[in-house]
Structure formats: C-alpha cells, structure tokens
Amino acid sequence: MTLNLLLKDTTFYKKNKYLTEKELEILQTTGVLFYQDGNFKKNQKPLVLKLILLLRKSRNTMYRYLKHCIVEQRDTDEKRYYAFSANALKSHFLRASTSSAYRGKSEDAAEFIQIIDMIILSDKAIGKKTSPEQAFNLFERYLQPVPRYARMQKICLKTYYTYVRHEKTQVKLMDLPEIVSRKTAVIRPRSNTSTKGTSIHERGFSLADTSEFGHWEGDSVIGVRDGQHKVLFTMVERKTGYAITLLIQSKKSKHVRFALNKLERQFGSQFKHVFKSITFDNGGEFSDPHGFAKSVFTGQRTCIFYADSYASYQRGMNERYNREIRRYIPKGRIFDNLKQKTLNRYVSFINDRLLKRHDLQSPKELFHTELELLALQLDKLLRSAHAA
C-alpha cells in the first residue's frame, strides 16, 4: 500500500480541501466501473478501499462521499433507476456551504486584514522582516486608540495565519519565513559542568528571573566554518530584551575581549552597572573569563558566567535573538563585506519590535528608560557622597 502511494502523483492533493476536478474525475470513473452491472446494493467496501488509495482520504470520508454520489433518477417512461454521479456530490456540498449560517470573518474584517497586509508588505519593501504578531502589536498600539479603528471588525492572530494558508490575504507563506523554516529539535546528551569558568548555577538568580536590569547573555554567530572570516558578537539584556551586535575579526577570545573593551569605553563609568554579568556558552571564543572581567581602566568591570554544555535554553533570549538576526543575514553568508552601519540597521529593526510581554513596548524604549533611571540613581549617590 505504501509503495502504491509513493508511485502516484500526489501534487494535486491538498489537506482540508474539497475535491479538485481531477479528483472528481477519478471518483466518477472508478465509481461507474464498480457499478457497471447496475447492482447498487452490493458491498461498497472494495470500492472504498480502492478510493482510499487513489484519493488519499479516510475510510469514513469515502463512505460519506459515496452516500451522495448514488442518486435516484427517472427515464423517459418515468421509471426509476439509480446512477453514480460525482457531480451530485459536488452539488450537495455547494448547497451545504451556501446554506451554512457561518460565513467567516474574511469579508467583515476585510479592512483590518488589508491593514495588516500593508504593514507586513511595506516593511518587507524596506528590508524589514515584520511578523503578523508584530503587525498586530503595531495596530493595537498606534491605530486602536483612534475611534475609527477601535470600532473596526478584527480577527485574532490564529485566524489571520489560517487565512494566509488559505490564500485569503495579500501576504503569502513565503513572506513569513518563520512558517517554512521550522525544524525538528535534535536531542543531545547534556552535561551539568561548565568547562571555562564560573558556572551559571552560581549566578544567584533563576533562569526565569528577569526582574533585575544589567544581566546579559552573549554568543557568537559565524558565517562560514573556516575560522578565516569575521564573526558577529551578540549580547542580549535579559530584562528588556535589548540587543547589541558587533562585528569582530575572528572567532578568537582576544577579539571578543576587544569588543568588550570597546563597549566599556563607550559606556564609561556606567559599564559595570549596565553590564553586571554576562553569561556565555562554552565555545572556544569565550575561553578567557579573566580577560573579559578585567577593566581597561582599573579593577573588575563585570562578572562572567558559563552555561552548561548542550543547554542553550539557559541562554534562551540570546538564542532567540540569533534566530532573528539570521532572518536578515542567512547562514553561509560571509561577513567580510558586511558594514557595521548595515548591521546596526538590522539590529535596530529587532530592537524596535513591540513585545506583548512588555505591554507593547519595544526593547529599545525599555533599555533607554533603564539607562535614565540608572543615571538618576548614580547622580543621587554622587550628591550624597559630596554632601557627606
């Protein structure tokens, strides 16, 4: 049975769809041949088994189809007889669909769907990868407060995805790369040991605790696995979700250290308050915890922790951000010709996203708010020190 299915052309089969003209033709031909002796009272099981192979439908579905395919007709002498007609089945479902009380929301919410389509496609035109969820968040924050849009008929996010799959929107599946790029997770053995330095289990707070500002997750993103080209050094702040991405010369610990030195000079005395800790994986580029923690001025600038081997969930925010940046810079692309200005533009797109978990605020807004609060606290401490 499996071999027969593999040998057949299945390109025209679609799940959750009504029979196509080709399928109706197969149904008509097979049914007429089966009932060519005119005996419509014989067992339908052989016909059903044959149609299951041809049409790839379930047993119950085929019995329901045959129920409406056998119709009673009359000849010129008004004598009754039975006939097999696939068109009768088609007419039955057409009547059922037109008499149904539920029409769906695609017509009533046509204006809302058009707005969501426009947001996604207009952002795509400027190189920005906007998901339907982000489009819904933008509508809710900026358009929903307007009375005209507040009274508009809307649909939920799940319904919008259903309409995209059924081709009822201007947005197509290929415009949403997250849908077509899902992969099955690979289960690997895990170890609870950190090989580079201080373990994540000594960090002092749980993985789910994002209440304190200043704790970061870091990683590297490579283009080609030959060690001869530039690498992306990415960091994500756990509370706000704000990301920083820098181009470094290679996947070596000294270049990661140079990137941290650059950030420390940029933030100045605030660095140790903004970067209280950084959690890396056990990659070779992060094998210098003492160099990373040592300040370019004096003393220690931050605390370095290492996640367990094969436990990327311990740095979930950073892994999620790396997937977002891969939407703009696909795997296999060499970063040598990539400019930091272009990279900053991609990072800005990601930091400007409105997130539900932040009450429709962007990571950029939250990060700058935290910096302002930090500046006020430091100023207050400085005044207290002078007064003393």
Side-chain angles (χ1 to χ4, degrees), residues 62 77 81 113-114 144 147 161 175 197 199 219 233 303 317 326 330 342 360 372:
M62 293 315 311
D77 298 330
Y81 68 96
I113 296 173
Q114 185 178 6
Q144 183 126 351
Y161 274 110
D175 297 325
S199 171
D219 197 7
F233 175 53
C303 296
M317 288 190 181
R326 281 297 193 187
T342 304
L360 299 181
E372 292 175 359

Side-chain angles (χ1 to χ4, degrees), residues 196 218-234 246-259 280-288 292 315 322 326 335-336:
K196 305 299 180 184
D219 197 7
S220 62
V221 178
I222 63 174
V224 181
R225 294 180 179 273
D226 58 5
Q228 304 297 323
H229 300 283
K230 291 183 178 180
V231 177
L232 301 184
F233 175 53
T234 65
L246 298 175
L247 274 169
I248 59 178
Q249 292 301 314
S250 68
K251 193 177 178 182
K252 294 183 179 179
S253 60
K254 65 176 183 179
H255 292 127
V256 175
R257 187 174 71 252
F258 293 160
F280 296 117
D281 59 20
N282 286 280
E285 67 273 31
F286 305 122
S287 58
D288 185 15
F292 298 160
R315 301 166 27 263
N322 290 346
R326 281 297 193 187
F335 302 146
D336 291 350

Side-chain angles (χ1 to χ4, degrees), residues 77-294:
D77 298 330
E78 295 296 322
K79 184 178 179 181
R80 296 181 179 180
Y81 68 96
Y82 292 94
F84 187 90
S85 174
N87 286 332
L89 172 67
K90 185 176 180 180
S91 300
H92 165 75
F93 280 102
L94 181 61
R95 290 193 301 269
S97 62
T98 54
S99 61
S100 174
Y102 180 69
R103 295 287 184 273
K105 296 182 180 180
S106 58
E107 295 182 3
D108 297 336
E111 186 178 2
F112 176 76
I113 296 173
Q114 185 178 6
I115 292 175
I116 300 300
D117 291 345
M118 182 184 65
I119 294 174
I120 296 174
L121 296 178
S122 60
D123 283 352
K124 181 184 177 182
I126 63 174
K128 185 177 181 180
K129 312 289 186 179
T130 299
S131 65
E133 183 179 5
Q134 284 299 306
F136 272 63
N137 292 345
L138 288 168
F139 179 90
E140 185 175 346
R141 175 168 177 178
Y142 296 111
L143 296 181
Q144 183 126 351
V146 180
R148 175 179 177 272
Y149 296 104
R151 296 188 295 269
M152 180 182 295
Q153 177 68 43
K154 295 179 283 292
I155 58 176
C156 67
L157 183 62
K158 183 177 180 180
T159 302
Y160 182 82
Y161 274 110
T162 302
Y163 288 167
V164 171
R165 291 188 178 93
H166 291 175
E167 300 180 356
K168 294 184 178 182
T169 62
Q170 298 180 24
V171 174
K172 307 303 179 185
L173 282 175
M174 295 309 297
D175 297 325
L176 308 175
E178 286 284 328
I179 292 183
V180 296
S181 64
R182 299 291 183 179
K183 295 182 180 179
T184 304
V186 179
I187 300 178
R188 295 187 177 93
R190 293 175 178 173
S191 171
N192 291 328
T193 60
S194 296
T195 59
K196 305 299 180 184
T198 307
S199 171
I200 190 175
H201 302 289
E202 301 179 30
R203 197 167 56 176
F205 54 88
S206 64
L207 293 176
D209 185 6
T210 59
S211 59
E212 185 178 0
F213 173 74
H215 298 286
W216 297 70
E217 299 172 356
D219 197 7
S220 62
V221 178
I222 63 174
V224 181
R225 294 180 179 273
D226 58 5
Q228 304 297 323
H229 300 283
K230 291 183 178 180
V231 177
L232 301 184
F233 175 53
T234 65
M235 288 199 302
V236 180
E237 202 281 319
R238 286 171 51 82
K239 181 178 180 179
T240 62
Y242 183 81
I244 295 176
T245 305
L246 298 175
L247 274 169
I248 59 178
Q249 292 301 314
S250 68
K251 193 177 178 182
K252 294 183 179 179
S253 60
K254 65 176 183 179
H255 292 127
V256 175
R257 187 174 71 252
F258 293 160
L260 291 175
N261 294 344
K262 181 179 179 181
L263 287 174
E264 185 180 10
R265 293 187 179 96
Q266 179 181 344
F267 282 90
S269 60
Q270 287 188 344
F271 182 88
K272 62 182 180 180
H273 301 285
V274 178
F275 297 84
K276 297 177 182 178
S277 73
I278 307 175
T279 303
F280 296 117
D281 59 20
N282 286 280
E285 67 273 31
F286 305 122
S287 58
D288 185 15
H290 300 292
F292 298 160
K294 185 179 179 181

Side-chain angles (χ1 to χ4, degrees), residues 245-248 262 338-345:
T245 305
L246 298 175
L247 274 169
I248 59 178
K262 181 179 179 181
L338 180 65
K339 305 296 183 183
Q340 183 67 47
K341 182 178 180 181
T342 304
L343 180 60
N344 291 341
R345 181 167 173 262

